[in-house]
Amino acid sequence: MNARPLTPPFTEETARQKVRLAEDGWNGRNPAKVALAYTEDTKWRNRTSFVNGRAEAEAFLIGKWDRELEYRLIKEMWAFTGNRIAVRYAYEWHDDSGNWFRSYGNENWEFNQDGLMENRFSSINDLPISEAERKFRWPLGPRPADHPGLTDLGL
């Protein structure tokens, strides 16, 4: 990956790198670290939650990963231009009763000149799945480089 910060305007290569860095960060499930990728005054829409600011983003992530256990995520760039990237993604997780889900979503991202995300708009649908239907089975943490992406998995 590029040693320079990934800042707009994005090229196809830097947009793909930005998406993978975001995926790796979220798979690390460290709310304080993930929140640093967002501006102090970031604005999110995530399902029915509206997040305003980095502190609220961190609190949101703490709650998310307390509820969504064994969370594993794959993101794929859909489109990019200038300081914006559109992403589709899926993640698998289970609740505290052991019920598994695959959540499918789309995000629109907007970045400031320093490469921090200012706006994140996410739409998500949850599909109950059986444990046997899981496709994301790598050890917790970032997805291994040789693990198939969404398109390769037919998702």
Side-chain angles (χ1 to χ4, degrees), residues 9 12 42 45 54 65 68 71 73 90-91 136:
E12 182 173 353
T42 192
R45 182 191 45 77
R54 187 182 286 161
W65 292 321
E68 296 178 355
Y71 177 96
L73 165 74
Y91 62 92
F136 304 174

Side-chain angles (χ1 to χ4, degrees), residues 52-70:
N52 295 294
R54 187 182 286 161
E56 284 187 23
E58 183 176 344
F60 171 88
L61 293 169
I62 290 167
K64 173 183 183 59
W65 292 321
D66 280 348
R67 289 183 309 277
E68 296 178 355
L69 307 173
E70 294 194 54

Side-chain angles (χ1 to χ4, degrees), residues 41-143:
D41 62 348
T42 192
K43 302 265 189 270
W44 293 12
R45 182 191 45 77
N46 193 95
R47 299 179 192 261
T48 59
S49 296
F50 293 83
V51 172
N52 295 294
R54 187 182 286 161
E56 284 187 23
E58 183 176 344
F60 171 88
L61 293 169
I62 290 167
K64 173 183 183 59
W65 292 321
D66 280 348
R67 289 183 309 277
E68 296 178 355
L69 307 173
E70 294 194 54
Y71 177 96
R72 290 171 179 86
L73 165 74
I74 299 176
K75 291 182 180 280
E76 184 175 279
M77 185 181 74
W78 188 254
F80 74 97
T81 184
N83 70 334
R84 293 179 174 172
I85 300 174
V87 175
R88 71 186 200 97
Y89 61 92
Y91 62 92
E92 293 180 350
W93 57 282
H94 69 81
D95 63 18
D96 60 2
S97 296
N99 300 303
W100 281 94
F101 298 87
R102 184 175 305 120
S103 299
Y104 295 94
N106 297 295
E107 292 178 314
N108 294 312
W109 300 342
E110 185 175 32
F111 296 88
N112 72 6
Q113 69 279 1
D114 297 320
L116 297 176
M117 196 180 300
E118 290 181 307
N119 293 298
R120 176 183 174 268
F121 304 106
S122 186
S123 297
I124 308 166
N125 300 299
D126 298 320
L127 175 69
I129 61 172
S130 68
E131 201 285 333
E133 292 174 294
R134 292 179 50 216
K135 296 179 182 276
F136 304 174
R137 294 184 177 272
W138 65 86
L140 289 176
R143 175 172 54 109

